[in-house]
Amino acid sequence: MRTTRSVVTAAVLIMMIGLGLEARDVLGQVAQTRRTQTTENIEGITVSGKATAYARPDLMEIDLQVASASELTADAIVKYRDAKARIEEAFENLKLDQVEVAELGLLVDQKGPSPNQYGGIDPRATLSAKPEVQLSRKLVVRCSAIEGRDEEELLQLVARLLDVAQDAGGIVGPPPGVNPYQYSSRGIDLSLVRFVVEDFDAVQEQAYEAAIADARARAERIARLSETELGPIVAIQELSRPGDPIANVTRVVLPNEEPPREGRLESNRLQDVPVRVELLVRFQLRPAEDEGADTP
């Protein structure tokens, strides 16, 4: 009986030792795999590359507002049609091939009292004013192919377009009901003229090329200081590109204003517009070769 117990105990011990050895081998393989994966993950360097190129604006835009209001909706429609027709006819009479008038969405709302310079509304105006139906539309006067014109010629053209718009009854500047004091104090651009770059593919290619060269120069310096050799590019991430909205920046939009268009660059100044690119580039790193080693 004792012999049987001893045999069973010995068998259990042998089995436990075997399981322990197998578990150790498995854990060793897992640890080795983790070390290998970690080594593979850190065998590289990630640097940022930045570059800025400049593009000349090729389009000029002027925002106008045509609006009409009346207590009767039918009267407001008639007034709106007449006002819009006057503006369109005025620009057609200029006979400028590179100037066109584009229409944005029609807005139908209720006309209210205008705010004062302090951002408030006179309560006496709300008591005496009767509700009126208001029709308004934003018109964009676009002048293309301006990159070949000098500053004086563009100034004369801007003056001519603004004078024609105001003489025809167009509203130049902020739309009706917008307090310019309130929005100018919050850093909102209320400029009359906008200069646009729509075709910047060639300049963007130059910016990408310069950003990659900048990243390579940074990586080569770090590799030299760490006594390693820089390998090929293994990954590229685009952090920012021209025409995209700025991240983490809250944009304050005017009431009933359409969101900004993507894929183009805008400036309120007549100057070269910067085309900025930022990339995150990952290079492979290799151990530096020993120059003094004997060659076979």
Side-chain angles (χ1 to χ4, degrees):
M1 189 68 178
R2 293 179 178 176
T3 303
T4 303
R5 290 181 178 178
S6 299
V7 172
V8 172
T9 302
V12 171
L13 290 175
I14 293 173
M15 183 174 63
M16 293 177 63
I17 293 173
L19 292 176
L21 293 176
E22 292 181 359
R24 186 187 63 182
D25 293 340
V26 171
L27 292 176
Q29 293 177 1
V30 172
Q32 181 66 25
T33 302
R34 290 181 177 178
R35 285 195 298 268
T36 303
Q37 292 177 351
T38 305
T39 304
E40 293 177 355
N41 290 336
I42 66 174
E43 288 181 352
I45 180 174
T46 302
V47 295
S48 63
K50 301 178 182 180
T52 302
Y54 293 89
R56 191 69 176 173
D58 52 14
L59 178 67
M60 181 176 65
E61 294 181 343
I62 299 176
D63 293 340
L64 305 177
Q65 296 285 337
V66 53
S68 62
S70 178
E71 296 181 12
L72 299 178
T73 306
D75 293 343
I77 294 175
V78 173
K79 292 180 180 179
Y80 163 77
R81 289 176 179 174
D82 293 342
K84 180 170 169 290
R86 285 195 303 269
I87 295 177
E88 293 176 345
E89 183 180 1
F91 281 100
E92 289 178 0
N93 293 335
L94 290 176
K95 300 186 183 302
L96 298 176
D97 296 334
Q98 297 174 343
V99 175
E100 63 176 3
V101 180
E103 300 181 1
L104 300 183
L106 176 65
L107 176 64
V108 181
D109 61 355
Q110 181 177 344
K111 181 180 179 180
S114 301
N116 55 34
Q117 60 180 346
Y118 303 105
I121 296 177
D122 189 354
R124 294 173 296 179
T126 59
L127 295 176
S128 59
K130 296 181 180 180
E132 293 183 341
V133 177
Q134 178 174 261
L135 282 73
S136 60
R137 184 188 293 271
K138 183 177 180 179
L139 304 178
V140 181
V141 181
R142 295 174 178 172
C143 180
S144 58
I146 67 170
E147 61 273 16
R149 303 189 178 188
D150 57 15
E151 182 175 326
E152 183 62 28
E153 185 179 0
L154 284 177
L155 285 176
Q156 295 297 330
L157 179 59
V158 169
R160 188 177 180 185
L161 295 177
L162 290 175
D163 291 342
V164 169
Q166 296 185 78
D167 292 342
I171 303 174
V172 180
V178 173
N179 185 2
Y181 300 96
Q182 176 185 1
Y183 285 93
S184 60
S185 63
R186 297 169 65 182
I188 307 302
D189 181 22
L190 299 176
S191 57
L192 300 179
V193 183
R194 181 171 55 252
F195 300 96
V196 183
V197 180
E198 287 192 322
D199 185 12
F200 55 91
D201 291 339
V203 180
Q204 188 175 10
E205 289 289 336
Q206 299 175 7
Y208 279 132
E209 184 178 357
I212 294 177
D214 179 57
R216 187 179 298 276
R218 294 170 184 262
E220 287 176 349
R221 178 183 299 176
I222 297 176
R224 184 181 68 254
L225 295 175
S226 59
E227 298 182 353
T228 57
E229 289 187 357
L230 193 66
I233 297 176
V234 296
I236 298 178
Q237 181 181 356
E238 195 173 31
L239 298 181
S240 65
R241 62 179 181 177
D244 287 347
I246 302 177
N248 300 325
V249 175
T250 303
R251 172 182 167 86
V252 181
V253 182
L254 297 177
N256 304 320
E257 182 77 2
E258 296 187 359
R261 293 172 53 186
E262 297 183 4
R264 69 179 202 164
L265 307 177
E266 298 180 359
S267 175
N268 59 357
R269 300 178 183 272
L270 180 57
Q271 61 184 12
D272 292 343
V273 181
V275 181
R276 296 184 177 89
V277 170
E278 183 176 1
L279 303 176
L280 202 62
V281 185
R282 181 172 180 80
F283 294 87
Q284 186 182 25
L285 282 182
R286 295 190 294 259
E289 297 181 0
D290 189 1
E291 297 180 355
D294 296 335
T295 57

